[in-house]
């Protein structure tokens, strides 16, 4: 017996890949081309096969290790009397092997590695799109067979606050699509498999001037065919939605993942019967049979069951059914579909209003002096191009109030209250598509001019539907201002998971008693909605009064 080192072959343009699965252990007998480990990069996962048959003496890698081309994977005991063959896929007779020049074996191995690397499809996944889950696919821009360029848009997704296009992270040809209109996707979900540009180059550029013996030529062809068959027969695994949220891959091989995907079986819900809980093909079949017989339900089906029973008409809340009328009986009507943003935001607002015990406090702030200062500042800064609005002062006032009353900058996480140490303020922006909420990050570290400029830029993006998810996520407190429109007071709905929101209406000149006479003062109506599970009435009254004090004398923000 001879001890042979098994190394990572050429796996394409990757510096380091992570070992995510060990498929053998010391003492196991392996065949030529049997998979030893599974590795994964940021774009693809693949199995590393053994180039020879034999018995595993020692496995040189562990789960989580980083490996690259040439890294030692295992030590293998092989029969020294058996011909090595070309890449271990086709044995060559001893007579033919003696006629084959030494460079032929290395040429075959290099060709195998080049073909394997060139045929490895690239996995295109949903990138980090901010603090959003289950965004909806509203547009699919490519189909299998299409050639795509780097950064070319593949799909459009939409959350309750924005829509955005997901670009391709590589150039090539779309081999397979894994999403369709209406699907819900999350960070890490598989979108498509991409045949990299120039995938057939390895075969096309193989040297042809060498004269090889017939047996060697046949062996080389068999070797290349075996390598091609591996990536074609076992497409790379996708992450089920449950896997994407937990960040863990189900313990299963790519071929089992493919089989589960074809049957629509969620691997995250299976308990494997194989070694160390590994999911086998038999496990997938048993789960599928149980679901089809009605003995088992998937989580997705179970989650939909209560919604189906309620019919979306209030029955799920114990209410009588929503009235259904033929309005055309009473006169002419026109039917229009609601916009996508309003549909999605409406569901969120409904949830927030039903689940959060809202209370709203109303107060007035005297902004006479602050408004005079704002007008003077804009006159002095006419050439600067930045227009200061009252909302910028409100943001700074809210930061000061949040510092003094930190429970207003918190969120409920089960029975735990999470107090944020940052001050990100959202502000509602009116757009042709509906209300959107951009976020001023780290408002405590920015001045009035910087906040005003940033608000103008974000509001412009909102009107043009160009806001990114990152620009609308992370708020700890929100301001909804109707100051430019009118009104006196209103009840703003809290934007979960926040615990409070400040509503502002149009300021008006009112007579105010100064102790000796009524004097005209510019008064700003404030409406503070708060979550009664977290905040009590006394704290809310103090918070609102403190904001009014700051707006009345802005020097208080320095205290």
């Amino acid at each position: 017996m001879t001890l042979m080192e098994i190394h990572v072959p050429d796996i394409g343009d990757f510096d380091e890949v992570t070992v995510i699965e060990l498929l053998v252990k010391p003492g196991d007998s392996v065949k030529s081309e049997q998979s030893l480990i599974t590795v994964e990069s940021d774009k693809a996962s693949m199995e590393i096969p053994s180039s020879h048959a034999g018995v595993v003496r020692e496995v040189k890698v562990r789960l989580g290790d980083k490996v690259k081309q040439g890294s030692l994977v295992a030590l293998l005991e092989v029969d020294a009397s058996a011909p090595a063959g070309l890449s271990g896929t086709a044995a060559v007779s001893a007579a033919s092997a003696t006629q084959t020049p030494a460079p032929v074996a290395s040429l075959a191995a290099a060709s195998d590695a080049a073909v394997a690397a060139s045929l490895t499809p690239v996995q295109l996944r949903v990138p980090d799109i901010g603090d959003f889950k289950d965004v909806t696919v509203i547009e699919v821009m490519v189909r299998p067979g299409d050639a795509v360029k780097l950064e070319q848009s593949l799909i459009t997704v939409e959350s309750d606050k924005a829509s955005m296009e997901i670009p391709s992270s590589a150039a090539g040809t779309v081999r397979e699509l894994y999403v369709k209109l209406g699907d819900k996707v999350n960070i890490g979900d598989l979108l498509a498999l991409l045949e990299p540009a120039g995938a057939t180059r390895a075969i096309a550029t193989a040297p042809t001037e060498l004269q090889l013996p017939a047996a060697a030529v046949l062996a080389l062809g068999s070797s290349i065919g075996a390598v091609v068959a591996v990536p074609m027969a076992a497409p790379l695994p996708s992450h089920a939605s449950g896997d994407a949220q937990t960040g863990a891959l189900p313990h299963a091989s790519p071929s089992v993942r493919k089989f589960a995907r074809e049957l629509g079986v969620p691997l995250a819900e299976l308990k494997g019967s194989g070694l160390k809980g590994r999911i086998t093909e038999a496990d997938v079949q048993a789960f599928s049979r149980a679901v089809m017989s009605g003995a088992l339900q998937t989580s997705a089906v179970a989650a939909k069951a209560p919604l189906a029973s309620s019919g979306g008409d209030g029955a799920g809340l114990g209410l009588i059914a929503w009235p259904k009328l033929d309005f055309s009986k009473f006169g002419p009507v026109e039917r229009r579909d609601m916009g996508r943003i309003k549909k999605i935001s409406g569901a969120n607002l409904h949830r927030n209003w039903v689940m959060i015990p809202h209370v709203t406090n109303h107060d007035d702030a005297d902004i006479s002096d602050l408004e005079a200062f704002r007008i003077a500042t804009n006159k002095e800064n006419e050439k600067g191009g930045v227009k200061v609005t009252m909302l910028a002062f409100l943001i700074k006032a809210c930061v000061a109030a949040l510092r003094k009353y930190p429970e207003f900058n918190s969120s409920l996480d089960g029975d735990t209250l999470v107090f944020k140490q940052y001050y990100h303020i959202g502000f509602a922006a009116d757009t042709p598509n509906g209300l959107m909420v951009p976020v001023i990050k780290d408002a405590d570290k920015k001045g009035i001019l910087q906040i005003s400029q940033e608000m103008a830029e974000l509001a412009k993006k909102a009107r043009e539907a160009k806001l990114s998810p990152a620009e609308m996520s992370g708020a700890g407190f929100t301001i909804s201002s109707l100051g430019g429109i009118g009104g006196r007071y209103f009840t703003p709905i809290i934007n979960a998971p926040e615990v409070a929101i400040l509503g502002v209406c149009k300021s008006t000149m009112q007579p105010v008693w100064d102790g000796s006479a009524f004097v005209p003062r510019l008064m700003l109506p404030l409406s503070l909605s708060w979550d009664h599970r977290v905040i009590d009435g006394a704290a809310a009254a103090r918070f609102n009064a403190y904001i009014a004090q700051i707006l009345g004398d802005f020097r208080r923000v320095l205290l």
Side-chain angles (χ1 to χ4, degrees):
M1 301 291 284
T2 301
L3 203 60
M4 176 167 288
E5 295 182 344
I6 307 297
H7 295 268
V8 176
D10 184 354
I11 53 175
D13 189 22
F14 299 112
D15 292 333
E16 286 188 332
V17 290
T18 304
V19 178
I20 63 170
E21 194 173 15
L22 300 178
L23 306 178
V24 295
K25 63 184 185 297
D28 284 355
S29 296
V30 298
K31 300 176 182 179
S32 176
E33 298 300 334
Q34 180 177 334
S35 297
L36 302 177
I37 62 174
T38 304
V39 297
E40 184 176 62
S41 72
D42 59 339
K43 297 179 179 177
S45 57
M46 67 178 295
E47 295 180 358
I48 303 298
S50 174
S51 56
H52 291 74
V55 178
V56 178
R57 163 76 68 83
E58 189 175 354
V59 177
K60 291 291 188 179
V61 294
R62 295 174 297 179
L63 286 175
D65 281 357
K66 300 286 187 179
V67 297
K68 57 185 177 181
Q69 180 181 347
S71 295
L72 182 61
V73 175
L75 296 179
L76 205 68
E77 290 181 346
V78 299
D79 188 352
S81 62
L86 297 174
S87 272
T89 58
V92 184
S93 66
S96 299
T98 57
Q99 298 174 10
T100 305
V104 170
S106 61
L107 170 63
S111 299
D112 286 353
V115 172
S118 66
L119 288 176
T120 300
V122 175
Q123 288 184 325
L124 302 181
R125 295 185 179 277
V126 177
D128 186 349
I129 53 176
D131 189 21
F132 294 107
K133 291 182 179 180
D134 294 331
V135 292
T136 305
V137 178
I138 62 171
E139 189 177 9
V140 178
M141 304 176 180
V142 295
R143 60 181 184 276
D146 284 357
V148 298
K149 300 176 182 178
L150 180 66
E151 299 300 330
Q152 179 178 333
S153 296
L154 302 173
I155 63 171
T156 303
V157 296
E158 185 175 65
S159 72
D160 59 332
K161 297 179 179 177
S163 60
M164 69 176 295
E165 296 179 359
I166 303 296
S168 174
S169 57
T173 303
V174 178
R175 175 190 286 185
E176 192 170 352
L177 274 175
Y178 288 93
V179 294
K180 61 184 183 299
L181 286 175
D183 281 357
K184 303 285 188 180
V185 296
N186 290 280
I187 298 171
D189 283 356
L190 184 65
L191 299 178
L193 289 182
L194 199 70
E195 190 83 36
T200 59
R201 192 177 301 154
I203 297 177
T205 57
T208 57
E209 66 274 12
L210 293 179
Q211 298 298 319
L212 303 179
V217 171
L218 290 174
L220 177 60
S222 174
S223 174
I224 293 177
V227 176
V228 171
V230 171
M232 292 299 290
L236 301 174
S238 66
H239 293 280
S241 60
D243 308 331
Q245 293 171 6
T246 61
L249 283 169
H251 194 32
S253 68
S255 56
V256 171
R257 296 179 201 277
K258 174 178 180 290
F259 182 59
R261 194 164 56 244
E262 290 171 347
L263 294 182
V265 172
L267 286 178
E269 298 179 30
L270 269 70
K271 184 176 181 180
S273 62
L275 181 66
K276 294 183 179 180
R278 188 180 181 192
I279 298 171
T280 66
E281 189 171 305
D283 296 329
V284 175
Q285 289 174 329
F287 186 91
S288 180
R289 283 195 294 267
V291 170
M292 295 301 292
S293 66
L296 193 65
Q297 271 190 335
T298 64
S299 297
V301 172
K304 290 179 180 178
L307 295 177
S309 65
S310 70
D313 58 4
L317 297 174
L319 307 177
I320 62 175
W322 191 264
K324 294 183 179 180
L325 296 175
D326 180 7
F327 299 101
S328 61
K329 293 191 304 183
F330 309 108
V333 299
E334 179 185 359
R335 302 183 69 88
R336 295 181 185 176
D337 289 336
M338 287 182 66
R340 290 192 300 267
I341 296 293
K342 287 190 176 181
K343 279 183 184 177
I344 301 171
S345 61
N348 281 274
L349 291 168
H350 184 201
R351 176 202 61 198
N352 297 348
W353 183 252
V354 169
M355 295 188 67
I356 300 174
H358 284 66
V359 183
T360 305
N361 283 31
H362 302 292
D363 213 330
D364 293 301
D366 187 340
I367 61 169
S368 305
D369 297 336
L370 186 57
E371 176 64 5
F373 174 71
R374 185 189 72 84
I375 293 172
T377 301
N378 282 335
K379 286 183 178 179
E380 293 172 2
N381 197 44
E382 281 181 343
K383 295 182 180 179
V386 179
K387 183 180 179 181
V388 177
T389 65
M390 185 56 66
L391 186 54
F393 290 104
L394 272 166
I395 288 175
K396 292 297 287 186
C398 287
V399 168
L402 293 172
R403 284 184 184 276
K404 189 173 179 66
Y405 303 99
E407 64 266 36
F408 286 82
N409 195 31
S410 68
S411 287
L412 272 172
D413 184 9
D415 293 329
T416 303
L417 204 54
V418 180
F419 288 86
K420 296 142 193 167
Q421 306 301 312
Y422 51 84
Y423 299 91
H424 301 343
I425 310 296
F427 65 96
D430 189 19
T431 76
N433 297 319
L435 284 178
M436 305 184 81
V437 185
V439 179
I440 302 291
K441 304 290 177 64
D442 298 315
D444 57 317
K445 301 174 184 177
K446 297 172 181 175
I448 296 295
L449 291 178
Q450 186 178 355
I451 290 175
S452 295
Q453 182 175 4
E454 194 170 326
M455 278 198 313
E457 293 170 355
L458 290 172
K460 183 174 183 292
K461 281 188 175 182
R463 289 191 296 272
E464 297 173 352
K466 293 182 179 179
L467 279 174
S468 69
E471 290 171 324
M472 293 187 295
S473 61
F477 186 84
T478 298
I479 301 174
S480 180
S481 175
L482 303 177
I485 303 172
R488 188 65 181 270
Y489 302 104
F490 68 108
T491 304
I493 297 177
I494 298 168
N495 187 19
E498 299 163 29
V499 297
I501 182 173
L502 180 66
V504 183
C505 288
K506 188 174 183 179
S507 57
T508 57
M509 195 65 71
Q510 298 178 31
V512 178
W513 183 256
D514 67 356
S516 58
F518 283 101
V519 294
R521 305 296 291 178
L522 187 63
M523 306 302 291
L524 180 69
L526 304 176
S527 299
L528 177 72
S529 289
W530 41 278
D531 186 337
H532 211 335
R533 296 173 300 177
V534 178
I535 299 163
D536 58 37
R542 293 188 186 102
F543 186 90
N544 229 10
Y546 187 66
I547 289 179
Q549 290 173 7
I550 291 174
L551 295 176
D553 186 352
F554 211 72
R555 292 172 297 182
R556 291 177 181 272
V557 298
L558 302 175
L559 300 178

